Amino acid sequence: MAQEVRGVIAPGKNEPVRLETILVPDPGPGEAVVKIQACGVCHTDLHYKQGGISDDFPFLLGHEAAGVVEAVGDGATDVAPGDFVILNWRAVCGACRACLRGRPQYCFDTHNARQRMTLKDGTELSPALGIGAFADKTLVAAGQCTKVDPEVSPAVAGLLGCGVMAGIGAAINTGGVGRGDSVAVIGCGGVGDAAVVGARLAGAARIIAVDIDDRKLTLARSMGATHTVNSRATDPVAAIRELTGGFGADVVIEAVGRPETYQQAFYARDLAGTVVLVGVPTPDMTLELPLLDVFGRGGALKSSWYGDCLPSRDFPMLIDLHQQGRIDLGAFVTETIGIEDVEGAFARMHAGDVLRSVVTL
């Protein structure tokens, strides 16, 4: 029997979010109902609200979440009621050409729950990234649940569900940052700062944080950046080159998702260096680069979806590193809020006042 719970929906493009009663069905085959304990307010949710992802309104927002499995459907064997889990939006299928080649982090057929959650009047909701976790409970595919140590704080664990994993993975998995490398990170919000953490964890010798907000640059330095550049006052390409002996960085991570900053990343890398795009662009954005420059500079231009992570491998590892004190995931949590304050959290995020607001339930 469907349960009535609270959920935050985006009713239409750029409309204020609303707290509504939603119906969560019993889990069907391969599905799970999860009682949400914490969910981060991610910029991707704002993209949904603004219509930057699709126009499949109304959306049930929230996806960067942790909680406890309440019930599972037939065939769900990897998790059971009572398991503490981080939700992920890349439940690998195990059968597509990427999975069969031993590259499940690139799975081409990730799956979500088949049933839809609804409003009380029967209106079907589109869950953000197939999760919809600004809610007391949500319905997901069982494969979207990754078990981790229940001793960790839900507010911290949930951050691996999107932004922190995306940034750390962009450095380690996609960018392949290695010992002694020079790394530049353009855009020092939650994802960018996580990329700084990932670069430090991988042993980068020089980590250059770039942003237009001195507050964010100060925070990036506390996360492990060795140098900072305010690109409002200084040409970031020239500054990065100067800080790397005139050559450019081995890896440049673009965590903004705009053509202007991508061009900066492209020209700020060393010859044969790597550019990693982890910032999420909107559908209307286009990029123009001289093809001769693309050819002549060599190297690699990569995009990073979810930090090219494999949740079953990466989530427990990063939680373990956090519990050992080797990375401080708690440093990303600026504030904890109630479920009724999501709209206010979007405003604070847009103003650059927070690294992460986390809804606790």
Side-chain angles (χ1 to χ4, degrees):
M1 181 177 178
Q3 302 182 65
E4 293 188 3
V5 303
R6 300 171 301 165
V8 175
I9 70 162
K13 186 174 181 178
N14 285 322
E15 293 182 26
V17 301
R18 296 202 306 252
L19 187 60
E20 297 273 5
T21 298
I22 67 170
L23 301 182
V24 180
D26 291 337
E31 296 176 343
V33 170
V34 177
K35 180 176 174 56
I36 302 300
Q37 294 180 322
C39 184
V41 182
C42 177
H43 206 277
T44 302
D45 291 304
L46 184 58
H47 276 320
Y48 274 106
K49 177 179 180 285
Q50 294 170 334
I53 304 292
S54 77
D55 58 359
D56 196 16
F57 291 96
F59 292 109
L60 175 59
L61 298 180
H63 60 278
E64 200 175 71
V68 175
V69 175
E70 182 179 85
V72 298
D74 293 340
T77 58
D78 291 335
V79 291
D83 285 341
F84 178 66
V85 297
I86 300 171
L87 298 185
N88 73 78
W89 47 269
R90 299 196 73 186
V92 301
C93 72
C96 72
R97 60 194 185 279
C99 289
L100 293 177
R101 289 173 180 169
R103 304 171 184 170
Q105 68 271 28
Y106 301 127
C107 178
F108 301 128
D109 193 24
T110 57
H111 51 280
N112 305 126
R114 293 184 178 275
Q115 300 181 86
R116 286 288 192 105
M117 293 173 279
T118 68
L119 298 176
K120 291 185 73 174
D121 65 4
T123 300
E124 291 190 344
L125 298 168
S126 301
L129 291 176
I131 293 177
F134 288 151
D136 296 307
K137 299 177 184 180
T138 193
L139 177 76
V140 294
Q144 292 179 268
C145 301
T146 304
K147 290 190 289 186
V148 296
D149 189 337
E151 294 301 314
V152 71
S153 161
V156 167
L159 299 181
L160 294 179
C162 190
V164 171
M165 184 69 255
I168 292 177
I172 294 176
N173 297 333
T174 314
V177 174
R179 295 187 299 274
D181 281 352
S182 58
V183 179
V185 178
I186 300 177
C188 296
V191 174
D193 277 351
V196 168
V197 169
R200 179 174 59 83
L201 192 64
R206 183 158 297 202
I207 305 170
I208 306 163
V210 180
D211 204 280
I212 60 174
D213 188 332
D214 284 330
R215 296 173 301 172
K216 291 184 178 181
L217 292 173
T218 298
L219 189 54
R221 191 175 283 276
S222 75
M223 296 284 190
T226 59
H227 300 78
T228 59
V229 175
N230 186 319
S231 55
R232 189 186 295 278
T234 304
D235 177 2
V237 176
I240 291 168
R241 287 187 173 280
E242 182 179 352
L243 289 167
T244 54
F247 300 115
D250 296 308
V251 180
V252 184
I253 299 169
E254 199 279 341
V256 180
R258 293 194 59 82
E260 312 93 288
T261 44
Y262 188 89
Q263 287 185 350
Q264 291 170 355
F266 179 82
Y267 288 109
R269 67 182 175 130
D270 196 358
L271 290 173
T274 298
V275 174
V276 177
L277 174 64
V278 66
V280 181
T282 57
D284 60 302
M285 292 178 180
T286 59
L287 177 68
E288 184 174 335
L289 285 170
L291 190 57
L292 183 61
D293 286 356
V294 175
F295 172 78
R297 298 185 64 80
L301 307 178
K302 298 182 176 183
S303 59
S304 181
W305 281 22
Y306 212 173
D308 289 336
C309 79
L310 185 60
S312 60
R313 174 196 66 196
D314 294 340
F315 289 4
M317 173 193 70
L318 292 172
I319 291 296
D320 188 44
L321 291 174
H322 169 71
Q323 291 175 315
Q324 292 176 28
R326 294 173 63 187
I327 56 175
D328 182 9
L329 297 178
F332 288 89
V333 181
T334 306
E335 62 176 3
T336 57
I337 61 173
I339 195 173
E340 68 284 344
D341 194 28
V342 169
E343 185 71 27
F346 282 142
R348 292 189 291 277
M349 178 175 64
H350 184 71
D353 294 334
V354 295
L355 195 55
R356 261 307 183 266
S357 303
V358 178
V359 173
T360 55
L361 295 115

